[in-house]
Amino acid sequence: MDDRMAARVTGGPAALPVTVLILLVLLAGCTAAPRSAPSPSPSGRPAAARWQPEPGTDWQWQLSGRLDTTVDAPVYDIDGFDHDADRVTELHRKGRKVICYLSTGAWEEFRPDAARFPTAVLGKGNGWKGERWLDIRRTDVLEPLMESRISMCAKKGFDAVEPDNMDGYRNASGFPLTAAHQLTYNRLIARIAHRHHLAVALKNDLPQIPELVGDFDFAVNEQCAQYEECAELSPFVEAGKAVFHVEYELPVARFCEQSRRLGLSSLLKKYELGVWRERCPAAGA
């Protein structure tokens, strides 16, 4: 029985010449399937690892006045509606990361999409002229509206989102909001941002930090020193996530030592959040 017949009878392959084996290996390498490209976000933005700001990162927060792009800070937090893609690109060219400020928990009458919000989801005023709390229980209405806003940030090239008014349940909103409603809504906002490959901040809402620190990439806080709450932000720092913090009424001498000890990125700002800022002095200065 020759070798070819033995192969058919026993089920084993006949031996192939060495040159044929080499040729088959080469052909297999040439015809291997190419690696698939990363999936784009819903905004068409290529998938990539999200930006993760580290504790102690310096920043600038400017929401009013003519934007000053010369401030020596590696992170800028600016209004998402007021600035276009060219401005974000300009900041990127200067080596800055750029956060997109949006209100996700309150309606603002001066925004271009204000008419898209039905009156049924508009509650009491939140203390700022032309703004009203939203009924965050109505995710059927609010999710597509917030998807559109966050998509705008992604298309403009922002690196992250700062969603504001994320603690309506602690305020007189006009709706019977609970902590459970707020957890559900805040996590929804985080998921939308992550779908667009944007980092996302937890704004204030200190009581829910233990439940939400895993859903958010960093925190933005106002006046934790004034209200003696800064230690509550420690879970973010312990997780290697920045806490961008401002005070409005305390001098830097009253909060900077604690900020350094806790690892916060702290500034003194004025309530209008213009260009002016005062950083905490270096340790020992």
Side-chain angles (χ1 to χ4, degrees), residues 153-236:
C153 296
K155 288 176 180 177
K156 289 181 178 182
F158 282 91
D159 301 288
V161 176
E162 181 213 331
D164 200 7
N165 297 299
M166 297 282 274
D167 54 0
Y169 77 108
R170 301 183 71 199
N171 292 271
S173 66
F175 304 111
L177 303 181
T178 66
H181 294 139
Q182 197 70 60
L183 281 174
T184 297
Y185 188 70
N186 289 2
R187 285 176 172 143
L188 171 64
I189 296 299
R191 288 197 303 273
I192 295 172
H194 290 162
R195 281 203 298 265
H196 292 275
H197 307 297
L198 296 171
V200 61
L202 179 64
K203 179 70 172 288
N204 298 325
D205 194 15
L206 297 179
Q208 295 188 326
I209 284 176
E211 291 92 346
L212 292 173
V213 64
D215 298 281
F216 288 82
D217 303 290
F218 59 103
V220 174
N221 174 265
E222 296 168 290
Q223 297 173 281
C224 70
Q226 181 173 341
Y227 297 109
E228 300 182 350
E229 300 170 327
C230 291
E232 295 181 40
L233 291 150
S234 294
F236 273 96

Side-chain angles (χ1 to χ4, degrees), residues 62 72 95 140 178 188 191 246:
Q62 184 180 348
D72 186 16
D140 58 322
T178 66
L188 171 64
R191 288 197 303 273
V246 298

Side-chain angles (χ1 to χ4, degrees), residues 26 44 53 92 105 112 191 212 239 243 250 265 275:
L26 291 173
H92 282 160
R191 288 197 303 273
L212 292 173
V243 174
L250 299 180
S265 302
V275 65

Side-chain angles (χ1 to χ4, degrees), residues 57-75:
T57 303
D58 189 23
W59 71 308
Q60 164 67 326
W61 196 15
Q62 184 180 348
L63 300 183
S64 69
R66 183 180 178 84
L67 183 65
D68 184 349
T69 63
T70 67
V71 175
D72 186 16
V75 175

